[in-house]
Amino acid sequence: FLRWYTADRAVIGKWFGQYAKPDDLVAVGGAGAQVYYGKMAALDCYGLSDAYIAHETKAISNRPGHQKYATLEYQLKRKPTIITSNYYRIQNQPFVPSRGEAEEWRRRGFHYVSVEMPGLSSRYYSFLKRLDRAIGPLPVAADEPEHP
């Protein structure tokens, strides 16, 4: 499982690495292959490299290295360009959130985008991108909400 997981994160990181700007920040569930290959500043939501998460949040698990996790409020406070943490999808079609979920993320300044990534275990990687930022082929978002 870990080889498969790491291989996917390496593909994702290499894609981000092609397009990341020096001031981009990605909120990730764990800082591993995705952050290494992406060469982006990252908020490791497990707090292994973040003093606030390590010292100010309550434990939610007893699994080593996974006891604590950044709240969404804290992730948003850090103003990431991209949120992958626990809001990503890897599947064979682009992810389309419900109307309510899309509107809620838009109010927070984000929207789901999907990228076809050759070499990924499934065809598409979908994640949250800040509305006011472009990354690679993904432009700044239009003013109108996206609805299926």
Side-chain angles (χ1 to χ4, degrees):
F1 170 78
L2 289 178
R3 284 184 188 150
W4 166 80
Y5 185 90
T6 301
D8 268 358
R9 293 328 178 267
V11 169
I12 294 163
K14 289 173 184 176
W15 187 89
F16 283 131
Q18 293 177 68
Y19 303 114
K21 297 177 186 87
D23 63 338
D24 283 331
L25 175 71
V26 59
V28 296
Q34 180 176 333
V35 173
Y36 176 79
Y37 287 107
K39 297 180 175 78
M40 294 175 71
L43 168 63
D44 177 345
C45 290
Y46 286 110
L48 298 177
S49 60
D50 186 281
Y52 176 82
I53 300 167
H55 300 291
E56 303 297 327
T57 61
K58 295 182 183 198
I60 58 169
S61 168
N62 62 2
R63 183 176 170 207
H66 295 82
Q67 293 96 336
K68 298 184 176 194
Y69 202 82
T71 62
L72 178 57
E73 177 184 75
Y74 183 67
Q75 291 178 55
L76 295 173
K77 182 179 178 182
R78 293 289 308 275
K79 300 190 185 314
T81 306
I82 297 159
I83 299 176
T84 65
S85 56
N86 49 0
Y87 300 100
Y88 71 89
R89 306 285 193 295
I90 297 174
Q91 53 193 35
N92 285 319
Q93 66 276 342
F95 173 68
V96 180
S98 69
R99 179 180 295 257
E101 184 177 8
E103 289 172 356
E104 182 62 31
W105 279 113
R106 199 166 261 286
R107 280 193 291 278
R108 292 176 175 139
F110 290 84
H111 67 137
Y112 271 101
V113 293
S114 297
V115 175
E116 190 170 7
M117 292 187 184
L120 202 58
S121 61
S122 292
R123 192 170 171 188
Y124 289 94
Y125 184 63
S126 302
F127 58 94
L128 290 160
K129 182 187 76 63
R130 226 168 63 196
L131 295 168
D132 65 342
R133 295 294 292 262
I135 183 163
L138 305 170
V140 170
D143 290 335
E144 292 303 312
E146 300 164 8
H147 298 293

